[in-house]
Each structure stands twice: as C-alpha cells, then as structure tokens.
Amino acid sequence: MAGGSAADDFLGTQGDVWDTQWDMFLALVGAITSLALLSRWHDRQLPAATAARPVCAVPVG
C-alpha cells in the first residue's frame, strides 16, 4: 500500500515520476533569476533604509 499507485495518486504527480524534481529545479531557477535581476536594486535601497532607521538611545553591551 505504501509504495503502490495510491502513493502516486496522493502525491499528485500526474503520471510524471520526475514531477517533484522538476518543481524543485524550477524553484531553483526562479530563485537564481530573481537574485540576478533584483540584487542591484536591493543594494541601492539599503542606504536609504539604514538612514531612515532611528538610532538606539540605549547602548548595547
């Protein structure tokens, strides 16, 4: 029962044994693409975000 067709039906692979691997591969491609496209914009936003942050009045340590 654990390894039969009921397991495939439960996972929803739709007959493709590589469905899960394709999903993970495409998630990796999307993550790398978003990093490549948005990293410069993110780096430009950081100085503005740190300048707008209030300074802590209580010393830490």
Side-chain angles (χ1 to χ4, degrees):
M1 281 180 66
S5 65
D8 291 334
D9 293 339
F10 175 75
L11 292 175
T13 58
Q14 301 167 350
D16 184 11
V17 295
W18 295 103
D19 188 55
T20 306
Q21 287 79 4
W22 272 112
D23 290 344
M24 294 302 294
F25 173 71
L26 291 176
L28 175 66
V29 169
I32 291 171
T33 302
S34 65
L35 280 172
L37 293 176
L38 299 175
S39 63
R40 289 184 188 162
W41 177 73
H42 178 259
D43 291 343
R44 283 196 310 262
Q45 299 299 315
L46 285 177
T50 56
R53 216 172 83 193
V55 178
C56 183
V58 179
V60 177

mmCIF file of all heavy atoms in Angstrom:
data_model
loop_
_atom_site.group_PDB
_atom_site.id
_atom_site.type_symbol
_atom_site.label_atom_id
_atom_site.label_comp_id
_atom_site.label_asym_id
_atom_site.label_seq_id
_atom_site.Cartn_x
_atom_site.Cartn_y
_atom_site.Cartn_z
ATOM 1 N N MET A 1 0.815 -1.194 0.000
ATOM 2 C CA MET A 1 0.000 0.000 0.000
ATOM 3 C C MET A 1 0.863 1.265 0.000
ATOM 4 O O MET A 1 0.530 2.234 -0.664
ATOM 5 C CB MET A 1 -0.912 0.022 1.223
ATOM 6 C CG MET A 1 -2.128 -0.867 1.076
ATOM 7 S SD MET A 1 -3.197 -0.821 2.518
ATOM 8 C CE MET A 1 -3.764 0.833 2.482
ATOM 9 N N ALA A 2 1.962 1.251 0.754
ATOM 10 C CA ALA A 2 2.763 2.467 0.871
ATOM 11 C C ALA A 2 3.475 2.818 -0.429
ATOM 12 O O ALA A 2 3.716 3.986 -0.701
ATOM 13 C CB ALA A 2 3.783 2.315 1.993
ATOM 14 N N GLY A 3 3.816 1.835 -1.234
ATOM 15 C CA GLY A 3 4.554 2.119 -2.454
ATOM 16 C C GLY A 3 3.759 1.898 -3.717
ATOM 17 O O GLY A 3 4.316 1.956 -4.806
ATOM 18 N N GLY A 4 2.483 1.670 -3.620
ATOM 19 C CA GLY A 4 1.675 1.378 -4.796
ATOM 20 C C GLY A 4 1.195 2.625 -5.504
ATOM 21 O O GLY A 4 1.701 3.728 -5.320
ATOM 22 N N SER A 5 0.198 2.441 -6.349
ATOM 23 C CA SER A 5 -0.325 3.574 -7.122
ATOM 24 C C SER A 5 -1.067 4.572 -6.245
ATOM 25 O O SER A 5 -1.211 5.732 -6.630
ATOM 26 C CB SER A 5 -1.248 3.069 -8.227
ATOM 27 O OG SER A 5 -2.390 2.451 -7.662
ATOM 28 N N ALA A 6 -1.507 4.139 -5.064
ATOM 29 C CA ALA A 6 -2.177 5.078 -4.160
ATOM 30 C C ALA A 6 -1.218 6.177 -3.717
ATOM 31 O O ALA A 6 -1.614 7.332 -3.542
ATOM 32 C CB ALA A 6 -2.751 4.339 -2.948
ATOM 33 N N ALA A 7 0.056 5.837 -3.564
ATOM 34 C CA ALA A 7 1.051 6.843 -3.179
ATOM 35 C C ALA A 7 1.225 7.869 -4.290
ATOM 36 O O ALA A 7 1.313 9.071 -4.029
ATOM 37 C CB ALA A 7 2.375 6.174 -2.846
ATOM 38 N N ASP A 8 1.266 7.412 -5.542
ATOM 39 C CA ASP A 8 1.384 8.343 -6.671
ATOM 40 C C ASP A 8 0.150 9.227 -6.778
ATOM 41 O O ASP A 8 0.262 10.418 -7.078
ATOM 42 C CB ASP A 8 1.585 7.585 -7.977
ATOM 43 C CG ASP A 8 2.950 6.921 -8.042
ATOM 44 O OD1 ASP A 8 3.883 7.405 -7.371
ATOM 45 O OD2 ASP A 8 3.068 5.914 -8.761
ATOM 46 N N ASP A 9 -1.017 8.651 -6.556
ATOM 47 C CA ASP A 9 -2.243 9.447 -6.601
ATOM 48 C C ASP A 9 -2.256 10.486 -5.488
ATOM 49 O O ASP A 9 -2.709 11.615 -5.681
ATOM 50 C CB ASP A 9 -3.465 8.541 -6.468
ATOM 51 C CG ASP A 9 -3.638 7.631 -7.681
ATOM 52 O OD1 ASP A 9 -3.090 7.963 -8.752
ATOM 53 O OD2 ASP A 9 -4.311 6.600 -7.535
ATOM 54 N N PHE A 10 -1.746 10.107 -4.320
ATOM 55 C CA PHE A 10 -1.722 11.039 -3.201
ATOM 56 C C PHE A 10 -0.773 12.203 -3.469
ATOM 57 O O PHE A 10 -1.078 13.348 -3.159
ATOM 58 C CB PHE A 10 -1.299 10.318 -1.914
ATOM 59 C CG PHE A 10 -1.143 11.223 -0.736
ATOM 60 C CD1 PHE A 10 -2.254 11.723 -0.087
ATOM 61 C CD2 PHE A 10 0.113 11.587 -0.279
ATOM 62 C CE1 PHE A 10 -2.123 12.570 0.998
ATOM 63 C CE2 PHE A 10 0.258 12.430 0.796
ATOM 64 C CZ PHE A 10 -0.860 12.914 1.442
ATOM 65 N N LEU A 11 0.368 11.924 -4.084
ATOM 66 C CA LEU A 11 1.345 12.974 -4.354
ATOM 67 C C LEU A 11 0.914 13.893 -5.487
ATOM 68 O O LEU A 11 1.386 15.014 -5.589
ATOM 69 C CB LEU A 11 2.704 12.356 -4.684
ATOM 70 C CG LEU A 11 3.396 11.656 -3.525
ATOM 71 C CD1 LEU A 11 4.662 10.976 -4.020
ATOM 72 C CD2 LEU A 11 3.715 12.631 -2.413
ATOM 73 N N GLY A 12 0.051 13.434 -6.335
ATOM 74 C CA GLY A 12 -0.435 14.266 -7.436
ATOM 75 C C GLY A 12 0.606 14.486 -8.521
ATOM 76 O O GLY A 12 0.697 15.564 -9.087
ATOM 77 N N THR A 13 1.416 13.467 -8.811
ATOM 78 C CA THR A 13 2.465 13.620 -9.806
ATOM 79 C C THR A 13 1.938 13.570 -11.234
ATOM 80 O O THR A 13 2.688 13.832 -12.166
ATOM 81 C CB THR A 13 3.537 12.522 -9.640
ATOM 82 O OG1 THR A 13 2.916 11.252 -9.763
ATOM 83 C CG2 THR A 13 4.236 12.636 -8.305
ATOM 84 N N GLN A 14 0.716 13.229 -11.438
ATOM 85 C CA GLN A 14 0.055 13.208 -12.733
ATOM 86 C C GLN A 14 0.783 12.314 -13.730
ATOM 87 O O GLN A 14 0.903 12.623 -14.902
ATOM 88 C CB GLN A 14 -0.079 14.627 -13.287
ATOM 89 C CG GLN A 14 -0.868 15.527 -12.377
ATOM 90 C CD GLN A 14 -0.754 16.985 -12.744
ATOM 91 O OE1 GLN A 14 0.051 17.368 -13.576
ATOM 92 N NE2 GLN A 14 -1.564 17.804 -12.107
ATOM 93 N N GLY A 15 1.334 11.192 -13.240
ATOM 94 C CA GLY A 15 1.987 10.238 -14.110
ATOM 95 C C GLY A 15 3.440 10.546 -14.417
ATOM 96 O O GLY A 15 4.109 9.764 -15.065
ATOM 97 N N ASP A 16 3.947 11.670 -14.003
ATOM 98 C CA ASP A 16 5.340 12.036 -14.251
ATOM 99 C C ASP A 16 6.158 11.714 -13.015
ATOM 100 O O ASP A 16 5.971 12.322 -11.962
ATOM 101 C CB ASP A 16 5.439 13.519 -14.580
ATOM 102 C CG ASP A 16 6.841 13.955 -14.944
ATOM 103 O OD1 ASP A 16 7.703 13.083 -15.148
ATOM 104 O OD2 ASP A 16 7.071 15.174 -15.027
ATOM 105 N N VAL A 17 7.094 10.774 -13.135
ATOM 106 C CA VAL A 17 7.888 10.380 -11.964
ATOM 107 C C VAL A 17 8.885 11.463 -11.558
ATOM 108 O O VAL A 17 9.375 11.470 -10.436
ATOM 109 C CB VAL A 17 8.632 9.042 -12.211
ATOM 110 C CG1 VAL A 17 7.642 7.899 -12.379
ATOM 111 C CG2 VAL A 17 9.553 9.148 -13.409
ATOM 112 N N TRP A 18 9.190 12.385 -12.449
ATOM 113 C CA TRP A 18 10.129 13.465 -12.155
ATOM 114 C C TRP A 18 9.429 14.771 -11.797
ATOM 115 O O TRP A 18 10.070 15.829 -11.772
ATOM 116 C CB TRP A 18 11.045 13.689 -13.360
ATOM 117 C CG TRP A 18 11.931 12.527 -13.634
ATOM 118 C CD1 TRP A 18 11.772 11.592 -14.607
ATOM 119 C CD2 TRP A 18 13.100 12.155 -12.910
ATOM 120 N NE1 TRP A 18 12.766 10.659 -14.531
ATOM 121 C CE2 TRP A 18 13.604 10.983 -13.501
ATOM 122 C CE3 TRP A 18 13.768 12.699 -11.818
ATOM 123 C CZ2 TRP A 18 14.747 10.347 -13.040
ATOM 124 C CZ3 TRP A 18 14.905 12.066 -11.355
ATOM 125 C CH2 TRP A 18 15.381 10.904 -11.965
ATOM 126 N N ASP A 19 8.145 14.730 -11.518
ATOM 127 C CA ASP A 19 7.379 15.946 -11.250
ATOM 128 C C ASP A 19 7.946 16.728 -10.069
ATOM 129 O O ASP A 19 8.120 17.948 -10.154
ATOM 130 C CB ASP A 19 5.914 15.587 -10.983
ATOM 131 C CG ASP A 19 5.041 16.815 -10.885
ATOM 132 O OD1 ASP A 19 5.052 17.622 -11.837
ATOM 133 O OD2 ASP A 19 4.359 16.971 -9.856
ATOM 134 N N THR A 20 8.264 16.072 -8.991
ATOM 135 C CA THR A 20 8.794 16.744 -7.813
ATOM 136 C C THR A 20 10.152 17.358 -8.101
ATOM 137 O O THR A 20 10.430 18.502 -7.700
ATOM 138 C CB THR A 20 8.910 15.747 -6.647
ATOM 139 O OG1 THR A 20 7.634 15.132 -6.451
ATOM 140 C CG2 THR A 20 9.333 16.419 -5.383
ATOM 141 N N GLN A 21 10.995 16.627 -8.815
ATOM 142 C CA GLN A 21 12.314 17.144 -9.138
ATOM 143 C C GLN A 21 12.243 18.348 -10.073
ATOM 144 O O GLN A 21 13.014 19.302 -9.935
ATOM 145 C CB GLN A 21 13.179 16.037 -9.761
ATOM 146 C CG GLN A 21 13.639 14.992 -8.772
ATOM 147 C CD GLN A 21 12.577 13.954 -8.438
ATOM 148 O OE1 GLN A 21 11.481 13.956 -8.994
ATOM 149 N NE2 GLN A 21 12.899 13.066 -7.528
ATOM 150 N N TRP A 22 11.308 18.299 -11.022
ATOM 151 C CA TRP A 22 11.122 19.454 -11.914
ATOM 152 C C TRP A 22 10.659 20.676 -11.124
ATOM 153 O O TRP A 22 11.112 21.795 -11.385
ATOM 154 C CB TRP A 22 10.099 19.139 -13.013
ATOM 155 C CG TRP A 22 10.712 18.508 -14.215
ATOM 156 C CD1 TRP A 22 10.526 17.233 -14.646
ATOM 157 C CD2 TRP A 22 11.615 19.117 -15.137
ATOM 158 N NE1 TRP A 22 11.262 17.020 -15.783
ATOM 159 C CE2 TRP A 22 11.947 18.153 -16.111
ATOM 160 C CE3 TRP A 22 12.178 20.374 -15.230
ATOM 161 C CZ2 TRP A 22 12.823 18.421 -17.161
ATOM 162 C CZ3 TRP A 22 13.054 20.635 -16.278
ATOM 163 C CH2 TRP A 22 13.358 19.667 -17.219
ATOM 164 N N ASP A 23 9.756 20.459 -10.170
ATOM 165 C CA ASP A 23 9.282 21.573 -9.352
ATOM 166 C C ASP A 23 10.431 22.212 -8.579
ATOM 167 O O ASP A 23 10.553 23.440 -8.519
ATOM 168 C CB ASP A 23 8.201 21.107 -8.377
ATOM 169 C CG ASP A 23 6.906 20.747 -9.063
ATOM 170 O OD1 ASP A 23 6.726 21.130 -10.245
ATOM 171 O OD2 ASP A 23 6.063 20.081 -8.432
ATOM 172 N N MET A 24 11.277 21.378 -7.989
ATOM 173 C CA MET A 24 12.407 21.905 -7.227
ATOM 174 C C MET A 24 13.427 22.582 -8.132
ATOM 175 O O MET A 24 13.993 23.630 -7.780
ATOM 176 C CB MET A 24 13.075 20.784 -6.419
ATOM 177 C CG MET A 24 12.197 20.217 -5.335
ATOM 178 S SD MET A 24 11.637 21.459 -4.153
ATOM 179 C CE MET A 24 13.167 21.917 -3.399
ATOM 180 N N PHE A 25 13.669 22.027 -9.313
ATOM 181 C CA PHE A 25 14.594 22.633 -10.267
ATOM 182 C C PHE A 25 14.096 23.997 -10.723
ATOM 183 O O PHE A 25 14.857 24.971 -10.760
ATOM 184 C CB PHE A 25 14.797 21.711 -11.473
ATOM 185 C CG PHE A 25 15.597 22.337 -12.571
ATOM 186 C CD1 PHE A 25 16.958 22.553 -12.420
ATOM 187 C CD2 PHE A 25 14.992 22.724 -13.754
ATOM 188 C CE1 PHE A 25 17.701 23.143 -13.429
ATOM 189 C CE2 PHE A 25 15.722 23.305 -14.776
ATOM 190 C CZ PHE A 25 17.085 23.519 -14.607
ATOM 191 N N LEU A 26 12.816 24.083 -11.033
ATOM 192 C CA LEU A 26 12.265 25.362 -11.489
ATOM 193 C C LEU A 26 12.221 26.384 -10.363
ATOM 194 O O LEU A 26 12.386 27.588 -10.596
ATOM 195 C CB LEU A 26 10.881 25.150 -12.105
ATOM 196 C CG LEU A 26 10.903 24.381 -13.429
ATOM 197 C CD1 LEU A 26 9.484 24.123 -13.916
ATOM 198 C CD2 LEU A 26 11.707 25.124 -14.474
ATOM 199 N N ALA A 27 12.035 25.937 -9.124
ATOM 200 C CA ALA A 27 12.116 26.849 -7.985
ATOM 201 C C ALA A 27 13.535 27.395 -7.846
ATOM 202 O O ALA A 27 13.728 28.582 -7.559
ATOM 203 C CB ALA A 27 11.685 26.140 -6.703
ATOM 204 N N LEU A 28 14.531 26.549 -8.054
ATOM 205 C CA LEU A 28 15.927 26.988 -8.010
ATOM 206 C C LEU A 28 16.221 27.995 -9.120
ATOM 207 O O LEU A 28 16.853 29.028 -8.889
ATOM 208 C CB LEU A 28 16.858 25.783 -8.136
ATOM 209 C CG LEU A 28 18.351 26.087 -8.215
ATOM 210 C CD1 LEU A 28 18.846 26.698 -6.915
ATOM 211 C CD2 LEU A 28 19.126 24.835 -8.553
ATOM 212 N N VAL A 29 15.734 27.715 -10.332
ATOM 213 C CA VAL A 29 15.931 28.633 -11.453
ATOM 214 C C VAL A 29 15.271 29.978 -11.155
ATOM 215 O O VAL A 29 15.843 31.042 -11.409
ATOM 216 C CB VAL A 29 15.391 28.024 -12.767
ATOM 217 C CG1 VAL A 29 15.344 29.051 -13.885
ATOM 218 C CG2 VAL A 29 16.242 26.833 -13.175
ATOM 219 N N GLY A 30 14.085 29.954 -10.585
ATOM 220 C CA GLY A 30 13.396 31.195 -10.239
ATOM 221 C C GLY A 30 14.131 31.977 -9.167
ATOM 222 O O GLY A 30 14.220 33.210 -9.232
ATOM 223 N N ALA A 31 14.684 31.283 -8.174
ATOM 224 C CA ALA A 31 15.435 31.961 -7.123
ATOM 225 C C ALA A 31 16.704 32.607 -7.669
ATOM 226 O O ALA A 31 17.020 33.763 -7.351
ATOM 227 C CB ALA A 31 15.772 30.976 -6.011
ATOM 228 N N ILE A 32 17.426 31.879 -8.509
ATOM 229 C CA ILE A 32 18.649 32.432 -9.095
ATOM 230 C C ILE A 32 18.328 33.605 -10.011
ATOM 231 O O ILE A 32 19.019 34.630 -9.997
ATOM 232 C CB ILE A 32 19.419 31.326 -9.852
ATOM 233 C CG1 ILE A 32 19.972 30.319 -8.851
ATOM 234 C CG2 ILE A 32 20.531 31.908 -10.706
ATOM 235 C CD1 ILE A 32 20.558 29.076 -9.483
ATOM 236 N N THR A 33 17.272 33.490 -10.789
ATOM 237 C CA THR A 33 16.870 34.575 -11.684
ATOM 238 C C THR A 33 16.482 35.821 -10.902
ATOM 239 O O THR A 33 16.888 36.936 -11.248
ATOM 240 C CB THR A 33 15.701 34.125 -12.578
ATOM 241 O OG1 THR A 33 16.105 32.970 -13.308
ATOM 242 C CG2 THR A 33 15.283 35.219 -13.536
ATOM 243 N N SER A 34 15.713 35.652 -9.838
ATOM 244 C CA SER A 34 15.309 36.817 -9.053
ATOM 245 C C SER A 34 16.503 37.460 -8.367
ATOM 246 O O SER A 34 16.575 38.689 -8.269
ATOM 247 C CB SER A 34 14.236 36.443 -8.038
ATOM 248 O OG SER A 34 14.757 35.540 -7.080
ATOM 249 N N LEU A 35 17.461 36.656 -7.897
ATOM 250 C CA LEU A 35 18.674 37.233 -7.318
ATOM 251 C C LEU A 35 19.459 38.021 -8.357
ATOM 252 O O LEU A 35 19.952 39.113 -8.081
ATOM 253 C CB LEU A 35 19.556 36.136 -6.730
ATOM 254 C CG LEU A 35 19.169 35.629 -5.363
ATOM 255 C CD1 LEU A 35 20.003 34.410 -4.994
ATOM 256 C CD2 LEU A 35 19.363 36.714 -4.328
ATOM 257 N N ALA A 36 19.577 37.469 -9.553
ATOM 258 C CA ALA A 36 20.332 38.138 -10.614
ATOM 259 C C ALA A 36 19.658 39.441 -11.042
ATOM 260 O O ALA A 36 20.333 40.437 -11.304
ATOM 261 C CB ALA A 36 20.488 37.205 -11.810
ATOM 262 N N LEU A 37 18.336 39.444 -11.099
ATOM 263 C CA LEU A 37 17.629 40.626 -11.589
ATOM 264 C C LEU A 37 17.416 41.688 -10.523
ATOM 265 O O LEU A 37 17.380 42.884 -10.836
ATOM 266 C CB LEU A 37 16.267 40.214 -12.169
ATOM 267 C CG LEU A 37 16.318 39.364 -13.435
ATOM 268 C CD1 LEU A 37 14.910 38.951 -13.845
ATOM 269 C CD2 LEU A 37 17.004 40.115 -14.559
ATOM 270 N N LEU A 38 17.278 41.291 -9.266
ATOM 271 C CA LEU A 38 16.882 42.249 -8.233
ATOM 272 C C LEU A 38 17.979 42.623 -7.238
ATOM 273 O O LEU A 38 17.774 43.499 -6.403
ATOM 274 C CB LEU A 38 15.681 41.699 -7.459
ATOM 275 C CG LEU A 38 14.431 41.439 -8.293
ATOM 276 C CD1 LEU A 38 13.355 40.788 -7.441
ATOM 277 C CD2 LEU A 38 13.921 42.732 -8.905
ATOM 278 N N SER A 39 19.153 41.997 -7.315
ATOM 279 C CA SER A 39 20.177 42.253 -6.299
ATOM 280 C C SER A 39 20.706 43.683 -6.365
ATOM 281 O O SER A 39 20.929 44.314 -5.330
ATOM 282 C CB SER A 39 21.317 41.256 -6.413
ATOM 283 O OG SER A 39 21.961 41.386 -7.654
ATOM 284 N N ARG A 40 20.910 44.226 -7.554
ATOM 285 C CA ARG A 40 21.402 45.612 -7.666
ATOM 286 C C ARG A 40 20.382 46.596 -7.127
ATOM 287 O O ARG A 40 20.741 47.548 -6.431
ATOM 288 C CB ARG A 40 21.720 45.948 -9.112
ATOM 289 C CG ARG A 40 22.936 45.251 -9.614
ATOM 290 C CD ARG A 40 23.255 45.702 -11.010
ATOM 291 N NE ARG A 40 24.323 44.884 -11.556
ATOM 292 C CZ ARG A 40 24.599 44.789 -12.824
ATOM 293 N NH1 ARG A 40 23.895 45.461 -13.710
ATOM 294 N NH2 ARG A 40 25.579 44.020 -13.240
ATOM 295 N N TRP A 41 19.122 46.392 -7.434
ATOM 296 C CA TRP A 41 18.063 47.272 -6.921
ATOM 297 C C TRP A 41 18.010 47.190 -5.397
ATOM 298 O O TRP A 41 17.879 48.210 -4.727
ATOM 299 C CB TRP A 41 16.723 46.876 -7.537
ATOM 300 C CG TRP A 41 15.574 47.677 -7.027
ATOM 301 C CD1 TRP A 41 15.277 48.981 -7.328
ATOM 302 C CD2 TRP A 41 14.571 47.249 -6.114
ATOM 303 N NE1 TRP A 41 14.151 49.375 -6.674
ATOM 304 C CE2 TRP A 41 13.687 48.321 -5.912
ATOM 305 C CE3 TRP A 41 14.320 46.059 -5.457
ATOM 306 C CZ2 TRP A 41 12.607 48.244 -5.064
ATOM 307 C CZ3 TRP A 41 13.229 45.986 -4.620
ATOM 308 C CH2 TRP A 41 12.396 47.066 -4.434
ATOM 309 N N HIS A 42 18.137 45.997 -4.851
ATOM 310 C CA HIS A 42 18.128 45.810 -3.403
ATOM 311 C C HIS A 42 19.309 46.523 -2.767
ATOM 312 O O HIS A 42 19.160 47.195 -1.732
ATOM 313 C CB HIS A 42 18.169 44.320 -3.076
ATOM 314 C CG HIS A 42 18.203 44.037 -1.622
ATOM 315 N ND1 HIS A 42 19.359 43.707 -0.973
ATOM 316 C CD2 HIS A 42 17.231 44.039 -0.681
ATOM 317 C CE1 HIS A 42 19.103 43.517 0.311
ATOM 318 N NE2 HIS A 42 17.817 43.712 0.511
ATOM 319 N N ASP A 43 20.484 46.404 -3.359
ATOM 320 C CA ASP A 43 21.672 47.058 -2.813
ATOM 321 C C ASP A 43 21.540 48.577 -2.841
ATOM 322 O O ASP A 43 22.039 49.263 -1.940
ATOM 323 C CB ASP A 43 22.917 46.622 -3.580
ATOM 324 C CG ASP A 43 23.267 45.164 -3.331
ATOM 325 O OD1 ASP A 43 22.756 44.590 -2.336
ATOM 326 O OD2 ASP A 43 24.037 44.599 -4.130
ATOM 327 N N ARG A 44 20.869 49.121 -3.864
ATOM 328 C CA ARG A 44 20.649 50.567 -3.915
ATOM 329 C C ARG A 44 19.662 51.028 -2.850
ATOM 330 O O ARG A 44 19.709 52.175 -2.409
ATOM 331 C CB ARG A 44 20.133 50.968 -5.298
ATOM 332 C CG ARG A 44 21.206 50.998 -6.352
ATOM 333 C CD ARG A 44 20.745 51.756 -7.588
ATOM 334 N NE ARG A 44 19.445 51.314 -8.073
ATOM 335 C CZ ARG A 44 19.249 50.458 -9.058
ATOM 336 N NH1 ARG A 44 20.281 49.924 -9.680
ATOM 337 N NH2 ARG A 44 18.041 50.122 -9.446
ATOM 338 N N GLN A 45 18.758 50.170 -2.429
ATOM 339 C CA GLN A 45 17.760 50.535 -1.429
ATOM 340 C C GLN A 45 18.315 50.500 -0.007
ATOM 341 O O GLN A 45 17.764 51.138 0.883
ATOM 342 C CB GLN A 45 16.553 49.597 -1.527
ATOM 343 C CG GLN A 45 15.841 49.626 -2.855
ATOM 344 C CD GLN A 45 15.275 50.989 -3.187
ATOM 345 O OE1 GLN A 45 14.676 51.627 -2.343
ATOM 346 N NE2 GLN A 45 15.478 51.423 -4.414
ATOM 347 N N LEU A 46 19.373 49.752 0.239
ATOM 348 C CA LEU A 46 19.889 49.592 1.596
ATOM 349 C C LEU A 46 20.337 50.898 2.256
ATOM 350 O O LEU A 46 20.008 51.119 3.422
ATOM 351 C CB LEU A 46 21.021 48.562 1.608
ATOM 352 C CG LEU A 46 20.568 47.122 1.475
ATOM 353 C CD1 LEU A 46 21.781 46.208 1.413
ATOM 354 C CD2 LEU A 46 19.677 46.716 2.624
ATOM 355 N N PRO A 47 21.090 51.794 1.603
ATOM 356 C CA PRO A 47 21.490 53.036 2.285
ATOM 357 C C PRO A 47 20.300 53.887 2.719
ATOM 358 O O PRO A 47 20.306 54.470 3.805
ATOM 359 C CB PRO A 47 22.338 53.759 1.245
ATOM 360 C CG PRO A 47 22.842 52.690 0.349
ATOM 361 C CD PRO A 47 21.753 51.673 0.304
ATOM 362 N N ALA A 48 19.264 53.938 1.907
ATOM 363 C CA ALA A 48 18.083 54.716 2.271
ATOM 364 C C ALA A 48 17.368 54.095 3.466
ATOM 365 O O ALA A 48 16.860 54.807 4.335
ATOM 366 C CB ALA A 48 17.133 54.820 1.082
ATOM 367 N N ALA A 49 17.360 52.790 3.535
ATOM 368 C CA ALA A 49 16.689 52.112 4.640
ATOM 369 C C ALA A 49 17.459 52.292 5.945
ATOM 370 O O ALA A 49 16.865 52.484 7.004
ATOM 371 C CB ALA A 49 16.522 50.633 4.322
ATOM 372 N N THR A 50 18.783 52.245 5.893
ATOM 373 C CA THR A 50 19.560 52.410 7.119
ATOM 374 C C THR A 50 19.592 53.860 7.572
ATOM 375 O O THR A 50 19.695 54.134 8.760
ATOM 376 C CB THR A 50 20.995 51.876 6.940
ATOM 377 O OG1 THR A 50 21.592 52.538 5.839
ATOM 378 C CG2 THR A 50 20.989 50.388 6.719
ATOM 379 N N ALA A 51 19.499 54.825 6.638
ATOM 380 C CA ALA A 51 19.481 56.235 7.013
ATOM 381 C C ALA A 51 18.171 56.605 7.697
ATOM 382 O O ALA A 51 18.139 57.467 8.577
ATOM 383 C CB ALA A 51 19.697 57.112 5.787
ATOM 384 N N ALA A 52 17.092 55.971 7.329
ATOM 385 C CA ALA A 52 15.790 56.289 7.896
ATOM 386 C C ALA A 52 15.566 55.588 9.239
ATOM 387 O O ALA A 52 14.606 55.895 9.937
ATOM 388 C CB ALA A 52 14.683 55.875 6.929
ATOM 389 N N ARG A 53 16.438 54.659 9.607
ATOM 390 C CA ARG A 53 16.290 53.915 10.852
ATOM 391 C C ARG A 53 16.687 54.785 12.032
ATOM 392 O O ARG A 53 17.742 55.422 12.013
ATOM 393 C CB ARG A 53 17.171 52.679 10.792
ATOM 394 C CG ARG A 53 16.562 51.501 11.458
ATOM 395 C CD ARG A 53 17.376 50.264 11.191
ATOM 396 N NE ARG A 53 18.477 50.222 12.138
ATOM 397 C CZ ARG A 53 19.510 49.445 12.056
ATOM 398 N NH1 ARG A 53 19.629 48.640 11.028
ATOM 399 N NH2 ARG A 53 20.454 49.429 12.946
ATOM 400 N N PRO A 54 15.886 54.813 13.113
ATOM 401 C CA PRO A 54 16.256 55.615 14.275
ATOM 402 C C PRO A 54 17.459 54.994 15.007
ATOM 403 O O PRO A 54 17.655 53.786 15.007
ATOM 404 C CB PRO A 54 15.006 55.576 15.147
ATOM 405 C CG PRO A 54 14.268 54.369 14.707
ATOM 406 C CD PRO A 54 14.610 54.166 13.260
ATOM 407 N N VAL A 55 18.253 55.873 15.617
ATOM 408 C CA VAL A 55 19.417 55.420 16.372
ATOM 409 C C VAL A 55 18.963 54.973 17.738
ATOM 410 O O VAL A 55 18.157 55.628 18.401
ATOM 411 C CB VAL A 55 20.455 56.572 16.481
ATOM 412 C CG1 VAL A 55 21.639 56.131 17.314
ATOM 413 C CG2 VAL A 55 20.872 57.026 15.102
ATOM 414 N N CYS A 56 19.505 53.867 18.212
ATOM 415 C CA CYS A 56 19.159 53.337 19.520
ATOM 416 C C CYS A 56 19.750 54.220 20.604
ATOM 417 O O CYS A 56 20.955 54.505 20.615
ATOM 418 C CB CYS A 56 19.667 51.901 19.651
ATOM 419 S SG CYS A 56 19.224 51.140 21.199
ATOM 420 N N ALA A 57 18.938 54.697 21.568
ATOM 421 C CA ALA A 57 19.400 55.582 22.635
ATOM 422 C C ALA A 57 20.074 54.817 23.764
ATOM 423 O O ALA A 57 20.833 55.380 24.539
ATOM 424 C CB ALA A 57 18.219 56.376 23.182
ATOM 425 N N VAL A 58 19.809 53.534 23.880
ATOM 426 C CA VAL A 58 20.383 52.734 24.948
ATOM 427 C C VAL A 58 21.577 51.971 24.393
ATOM 428 O O VAL A 58 21.452 51.241 23.425
ATOM 429 C CB VAL A 58 19.318 51.735 25.504
ATOM 430 C CG1 VAL A 58 19.922 50.874 26.601
ATOM 431 C CG2 VAL A 58 18.103 52.480 25.975
ATOM 432 N N PRO A 59 22.755 52.143 25.002
ATOM 433 C CA PRO A 59 23.909 51.405 24.490
ATOM 434 C C PRO A 59 23.750 49.901 24.712
ATOM 435 O O PRO A 59 23.232 49.461 25.741
ATOM 436 C CB PRO A 59 25.082 51.948 25.304
ATOM 437 C CG PRO A 59 24.507 52.712 26.429
ATOM 438 C CD PRO A 59 23.079 53.004 26.104
ATOM 439 N N VAL A 60 24.183 49.152 23.749
ATOM 440 C CA VAL A 60 24.082 47.709 23.823
ATOM 441 C C VAL A 60 25.429 47.159 24.297
ATOM 442 O O VAL A 60 26.461 47.502 23.761
ATOM 443 C CB VAL A 60 23.726 47.116 22.443
ATOM 444 C CG1 VAL A 60 23.690 45.601 22.505
ATOM 445 C CG2 VAL A 60 22.422 47.682 21.950
ATOM 446 N N GLY A 61 25.389 46.301 25.308
ATOM 447 C CA GLY A 61 26.628 45.655 25.749
ATOM 448 C C GLY A 61 26.998 45.953 27.099
ATOM 449 O O GLY A 61 27.208 46.434 27.993
#
